[in-house]
Amino acid sequence: MASSLFTNSCKVLLLLALLSSFNFLAVVCVEFQVGGDKGWVIPPSKNSHLYNDWASKNRFKVDDTLRFEYKKDSVLVVTQEEYEKCRSSHPVFFSNNGNTVYKLDQPGLFYFISGVAGHCERGLKMIIKVLELESPSQSANQTTNSTSSQKSGSLPMAGATYSPTTVMIFTSLFGALFA
């Protein structure tokens, strides 16, 4: 009787250890609040690099999202040439709903400008660099720093992705424990 209780306790502890180790395999996407509490607004006259400075302090990955909050303005994703000219007649993306969420769906550079005349020239523009995709072993070795996330205006998004092999191994171990 006592050995059966001990065996069952060991199985439960082993199962809990396996489940907690899956946290290292989770893929976390982050939603970044562009401009923090102030949102997507024309920067002060002496700070025309405000948004690029903000972007350079963050690490953007594929599937992260940017939230733009603004009033009487718009957000355009444009080419590098259009970014430099501060105008676009055919943007890659356009939104003027006041609360725009844009998903960073691939690695590389993304160019954002305001679509309101004169706003881009006054600094309402930004370049985002999205990092290359990581291998599973690289992302498993990284940890999320909640303090830096709060300072940058980013919020972790719930989500986990497990490879079919990982799921199969977990299912086999779970079945062996309780067989």
Side-chain angles (χ1 to χ4, degrees), residues 12 51 63 78:
V12 170
Y51 292 101
D63 292 334
V78 297

Side-chain angles (χ1 to χ4, degrees), residues 4 33 63 67 71-72 83 91-92 99 120-121 123-124 128 142 151 176:
S4 174
Q33 177 70 36
D63 292 334
R67 179 175 297 277
K71 294 178 181 161
K72 298 181 183 178
Y83 175 86
V92 175
N99 188 14
C120 178
E121 291 84 355
L124 195 50
I128 296 288
Q142 295 179 349
K151 288 180 184 175

Side-chain angles (χ1 to χ4, degrees), residues 154-175:
S154 62
L155 300 169
M157 302 287 285
T161 305
Y162 304 115
S163 71
T165 306
T166 304
V167 172
M168 193 169 72
I169 290 170
F170 175 72
T171 305
S172 298
L173 288 172
F174 184 76

Side-chain angles (χ1 to χ4, degrees), residues 63-79:
D63 292 334
D64 284 349
T65 56
L66 302 174
R67 179 175 297 277
F68 295 83
E69 292 182 355
Y70 49 91
K71 294 178 181 161
K72 298 181 183 178
D73 214 312
S74 59
V75 177
L76 284 71
V77 177
V78 297
T79 65

Side-chain angles (χ1 to χ4, degrees), residues 9-177:
S9 296
C10 287
K11 287 180 181 180
V12 170
L13 286 174
L14 184 57
L15 178 62
L16 289 173
L18 284 172
L19 289 174
S20 66
S21 69
F22 261 177
N23 287 335
F24 293 110
L25 301 174
V27 176
V28 177
C29 300
V30 177
E31 180 172 280
F32 292 88
Q33 177 70 36
V34 176
D37 294 337
K38 294 179 182 177
W40 181 243
V41 298
I42 300 170
S45 61
K46 297 186 187 217
N47 198 358
S48 62
H49 297 286
L50 175 72
Y51 292 101
N52 283 334
D53 290 344
W54 173 84
S56 70
K57 293 175 186 168
N58 291 291
R59 294 178 55 91
F60 302 98
K61 296 181 284 187
V62 174
D63 292 334
D64 284 349
T65 56
L66 302 174
R67 179 175 297 277
F68 295 83
E69 292 182 355
Y70 49 91
K71 294 178 181 161
K72 298 181 183 178
D73 214 312
S74 59
V75 177
L76 284 71
V77 177
V78 297
T79 65
Q80 180 180 0
E81 182 180 339
E82 293 169 323
Y83 175 86
E84 291 167 0
K85 291 179 179 178
C86 270
R87 66 178 176 272
S88 174
S89 54
H90 301 290
V92 175
F93 173 85
F94 170 83
S95 179
N96 64 353
N97 67 10
N99 188 14
T100 301
V101 176
Y102 185 82
K103 184 175 182 177
L104 303 168
D105 60 356
Q106 63 186 9
L109 297 175
F110 289 81
Y111 298 90
F112 296 88
I113 64 172
S114 166
V116 174
H119 287 193
C120 178
E121 291 84 355
R122 293 171 59 194
L124 195 50
K125 61 183 184 174
M126 172 177 66
I127 302 172
I128 296 288
K129 181 179 181 182
V130 178
L131 301 174
E132 294 290 326
L133 297 173
E134 298 176 337
S135 68
S137 61
Q138 286 175 319
S139 55
N141 292 331
Q142 295 179 349
T143 59
T144 303
N145 184 339
S146 61
T147 305
S148 66
S149 293
Q150 291 169 354
K151 288 180 184 175
S152 68
S154 62
L155 300 169
M157 302 287 285
T161 305
Y162 304 115
S163 71
T165 306
T166 304
V167 172
M168 193 169 72
I169 290 170
F170 175 72
T171 305
S172 298
L173 288 172
F174 184 76
L177 279 174

